[in-house]
Structures are given as C-alpha cells and as structure tokens.
Amino acid sequence: MLTHISCISTLSHPYPSTMRCHRAYQQLCSFPTIASVIAIVYYFWVGVPFQVHHAPRGFSFERRSCQPRSIGFLKTHKTGSTTVFNILSRYADTHRLSIATPRESHLCYPYNYTDIRPCLQQPVLAQYDLLINHVRYQPTLKTILKGDSFWFTLIREPLQFYVSRYVYFQYHKVFGVDVGTFLETPERYIEASGSHGLKFESGASTLWDELGLPIGANSSSVIKVMDQQFDLVIVTDYFDEGLAQLFMEACMPSLEDLTYFVQNKQVHRKEWNTSTTERYRQNLRAAMPSYFEIYDYYMKQMESKISRDSNLRSLARELTVLNSNRYAQCIASERTAHGNASERTEFDPQYQPVQLKTFELDDNSPEYCRKMAWPEDTLNQYNKRRHSQAHKLEASRSPLKHN
C-alpha cells in the first residue's frame, strides 16, 4: 500500500511536531488508529489508496476522486527536461514504478523508430508505468505504457532556448562567432546552417525532430499534433504551475513528489541589458517565426489556465515553498563543474563540456537530498539498476493502479 493517510506537515519546517491535514479529514487525523482502519478498509473496497492531499494554509483543495495514471514525458533538449527527468525518476523510485529504461542513454534517439522495444533494456516488460528518456515521439509509444497514460512535454521561451542550444552545441566552432554576434543577424547563419548539418533551419527544428514531424512543417500543423497527442504542454516560464497541473491531472499521490533542484543550469553565460535582449528576441522572431508562434500559443493557454484556476495557483505557491524548504535542508553550497561530454564527443571529438551548476550537500542530508542532486547520468544508471528487478515489480501488484 502506498500510504493510508497523507497528513502533511506545515511548511515552516520540514518535520515539525504539529501536523495539518485537509479540513474534511481533520477529525480522522486526530485519531490515527481509526484513520488507519478506515484507510485499510477503503483500500480493499475501492482498490486504491485512501489519500488526503495537502494544501497551503488557508486553502481547501478539493480533489476529484481519481487513480494515478502512467506518465509519458517527451524529453526535449534544452528546455529544462533534465529537471523533470530527475523528478519523475524519483517519483518512480518512491512508489516502486517501472520505467521504460533504454539499453544505452536514449530510446533509439536520434533515430525515428516506430517500435522502440529493441532499444529497451532487458528484460522488456509488456507495459511500463513511465517513459521519460529522450525519444522521437510516435503515437505507438502510448502502447508501451499502462492504461490511460498521461503525456506531456515542455516548451521554453525562444531566446533562452536558442542561446542555451547555441552554447551547449558549441555552434561558435562552426560559425566562428559568439552567440551575441549570431543574434545580431540570425537569418544569415540560419541560411548557412543546412550545409553544416546543424538542423538550425527556420523554425524550432529540434522540436520538429523530437515530435517525429518533417522539418519545415508549419506552426499550425505542429500545434495540431501537440494538442492531439499531449495532455499538457508546460511552458517553462510557469514551471511550478505546470508541475501543479501535472500533479492534478495525472493524479499523482503527493505534491512532495514534484519537488526539485534545477538541473543542468549553465553558468558563466553572458548577460545582456534589457534593450539588447529585446532586440535579439525580435531578430530571432523574424528569423524563426514558427517556434515563436508555437510558444505564444502555449503561453496564452497556460496564462489563461492560471488566471482561471485558483487551485493551480495555490498549489504552485506551495510547491515553491516546498522547494525552498528542501533546498535549505539539503544544500550546503553550489559550485560549477564540467557537464558530461559523452553525448557530444561521439559527434565532435574536440567538444569541451560547458560549465554547469552542481550542488554540495550537507553532511547530514537525508537520502532524498542526494537523489535530488544527482546528475542525469548517475540517475540513469540508478534507474537501470532498478530495472534489473523489473520482472519482480511486474509480478507483484503495482502500488499505483492505473485507469
């Protein structure tokens, strides 16, 4: 059983003696023995764990009855997806859920396979609870997840996206200019990019590729596919709000499952003043209108949802506080370190990994702090070790039943 009652502590301290609970169940929380009996009866009668989801102070979050759904995450480059990968890996670990782990680091990526099973780590299960590694999207991916799966992806503000991409993939080696010079006349370099095989053509070609669409598809076609195939597109400007929406719509057990430290954040990147930043943004919009159109569409969608849904706003605020508490409890300091170069040196032997922010933990930090701070490669290897026991997980009853 996952849990019987989630009486979550107040946010002023990670483990205070005073517990608070959802208003409708305060009486139960005053009598833990009775609550446990009720929860056990409920579990065997209905078939799902009886849970009380915590809410911010002064906020009553009435959640519809639902069962946790399997989750498919289209992990896209340079959008904050490594942070989400960390979140969902720990979610699977906490609740003993199966992940469709790759034999190597990606699921057949960058190739466009209609069936990714040959790229899965052995033993290959009939179906999984989560798919979270890099893969080119195909509708057939949904068949490897259990039940009514919930699918989502990320989209990032275009200027931030392209600057991060330019620095990470070290396009300055090809074009011979830094990112600021590129952004003064981006169309000049975009036209030349095809001859270098950089896929830097008009529009967000990386997104096109990862959606399994032909490069050059217009923005309305991309939006149509995304709306049809994904339950949620998180705009990273509203990251916590997007995670709160994931929590509600995928019916995840606890908001604490979504706490995070920002992963793979580049450091020593040049900062520009406001007028320069806006000029670069407009230059990029003129040169790459398609990605901006897609981003604008989902930005308006997200802002509309936030303005209408007070539950979403309150949960996002609580997640922000939970993250702050976790950071204070876990992190002693931050430092910089070279990122992993293995993915890029295959294509560029001279690749020099960029500087990324990493974390130094307090000596007495709990185990979950360590996992929150793990880099992607470490977590990927951990997921593979967990998968070595996949046949045991499949043979036993899953703690989270799916629709």
Side-chain angles (χ1 to χ4, degrees):
M1 187 182 301
L2 176 62
T3 185
H4 56 273
I5 274 201
S6 299
C7 297
I8 306 299
S9 61
T10 56
L11 298 178
S12 58
H13 189 277
Y15 302 103
S17 58
T18 303
M19 306 295 289
R20 67 179 169 83
C21 302
H22 194 291
R23 183 183 306 166
Y25 301 103
Q26 285 179 339
Q27 187 65 30
L28 287 177
C29 292
S30 300
F31 302 96
T33 302
I34 298 174
S36 298
V37 171
I38 292 175
I40 292 169
V41 171
Y42 184 90
Y43 178 83
F44 287 104
W45 179 31
V46 179
V48 295
F50 180 72
Q51 300 170 29
V52 181
H53 297 278
H54 57 293
R57 293 187 185 92
F59 170 65
S60 178
F61 172 48
E62 298 293 343
R63 185 170 188 167
R64 62 183 175 81
S65 175
C66 60
Q67 293 178 333
R69 299 168 66 178
S70 58
I71 295 175
F73 169 54
L74 182 64
K75 190 176 187 295
T76 52
H77 286 88
K78 316 319 298 172
T79 59
S81 62
T82 301
T83 299
V84 175
F85 177 81
N86 183 285
I87 291 170
L88 295 179
S89 294
R90 290 183 288 107
Y91 172 62
D93 188 34
T94 299
H95 302 298
R96 298 184 292 115
L97 303 176
S98 58
I99 299 174
T101 50
R103 286 188 305 174
E104 298 179 3
S105 59
H106 301 328
L107 291 169
C108 301
Y109 188 90
Y111 305 105
N112 198 4
Y113 283 45
T114 55
D115 184 4
I116 65 166
R117 292 182 189 277
C119 301
L120 290 171
Q121 180 185 358
Q122 297 291 331
V124 176
L125 306 183
Q127 289 184 308
Y128 297 83
D129 297 300
L130 292 100
L131 187 153
I132 58 178
N133 287 81
H134 276 301
V135 66
R136 270 209 172 91
Y137 182 80
Q138 296 287 341
T140 54
L141 290 175
K142 294 187 176 183
T143 64
I144 73 169
L145 292 182
K146 297 176 182 178
D148 178 24
S149 56
F150 183 92
W151 281 83
F152 77 103
T153 191
L154 305 174
I155 191 167
R156 187 177 183 182
E157 192 278 322
L159 180 61
Q160 295 178 13
F161 171 71
Y162 278 104
V163 169
S164 177
R165 185 177 172 209
Y166 196 98
V167 172
Y168 180 81
F169 290 107
Q170 300 188 2
Y171 287 135
H172 67 276
K173 292 183 179 180
V174 177
F175 297 133
V177 297
D178 64 18
V179 66
T181 304
F182 168 84
L183 290 169
E184 290 291 356
T185 54
E187 67 284 349
R188 170 185 171 187
Y189 300 101
I190 293 168
E191 290 172 1
S193 66
S195 62
H196 297 294
L198 296 177
K199 299 180 179 178
F200 221 103
E201 305 92 324
S202 60
S205 300
T206 297
L207 181 60
W208 273 228
D209 283 348
E210 291 169 335
L211 286 170
L213 296 173
I215 293 174
N218 60 47
S219 58
S220 60
S221 299
V222 176
I223 289 170
K224 182 178 180 180
V225 169
M226 293 176 73
D227 280 348
Q228 289 174 343
Q229 300 299 331
F230 296 98
D231 301 282
L232 172 65
V233 176
I234 295 177
V235 179
T236 55
D237 303 63
Y238 293 106
F239 194 66
D240 285 0
E241 289 83 357
L243 292 178
Q245 191 171 350
L246 171 66
F247 165 72
M248 291 191 294
E249 296 186 9
C251 199
M252 299 176 74
S254 170
L255 195 61
E256 290 186 334
D257 288 323
L258 292 161
T259 55
Y260 64 90
F261 303 143
V262 176
Q263 298 282 335
N264 265 17
K265 184 175 181 180
Q266 297 175 14
V267 296
H268 305 315
R269 186 188 295 169
K270 185 176 181 179
E271 299 291 335
W272 303 299
N273 61 40
T274 302
S275 62
T276 300
T277 299
E278 188 56 32
R279 184 176 76 253
Y280 287 166
R281 182 175 287 112
Q282 294 308 315
N283 291 347
L284 200 60
R285 179 182 286 273
M288 307 175 182
S290 297
Y291 189 93
F292 278 86
E293 290 165 4
I294 298 167
Y295 168 79
D296 290 343
Y297 173 84
Y298 286 108
M299 177 61 115
K300 290 177 182 177
Q301 189 179 86
M302 178 66 80
E303 289 179 336
S304 175
K305 176 71 174 176
I306 293 169
S307 68
R308 290 183 285 105
D309 194 334
S310 60
N311 285 356
L312 186 62
R313 296 193 301 272
S314 296
L315 286 169
R317 287 195 298 270
E318 181 180 7
L319 180 58
T320 301
V321 174
L322 285 170
N323 284 330
S324 296
N325 286 345
R326 284 284 171 93
Y327 189 93
Q329 183 186 26
C330 298
I331 303 301
S333 63
E334 295 181 0
R335 62 183 178 87
T336 60
H338 286 295
N340 175 44
S342 59
E343 180 183 288
R344 300 304 311 157
T345 50
E346 177 183 353
F347 306 100
D348 179 6
Q350 304 303 315
Y351 179 80
Q352 296 296 319
V354 297
Q355 292 282 307
L356 301 176
K357 181 179 72 174
T358 60
F359 307 101
E360 294 287 348
L361 300 182
D362 283 325
D363 293 338
N364 298 322
S365 295
E367 183 182 10
Y368 63 75
C369 294
R370 180 168 52 88
K371 292 178 180 177
M372 288 180 73
W374 273 353
E376 182 175 1
D377 279 0
T378 303
L379 201 50
N380 209 25
Q381 292 304 314
Y382 179 79
N383 291 343
K384 289 184 178 185
R385 290 195 297 272
R386 283 189 64 246
H387 185 78
S388 67
Q389 302 299 319
H391 62 286
K392 295 180 181 180
L393 292 174
E394 189 70 8
S396 63
R397 182 181 181 185
S398 174
L400 294 183
K401 294 183 65 177
H402 301 289
N403 290 328

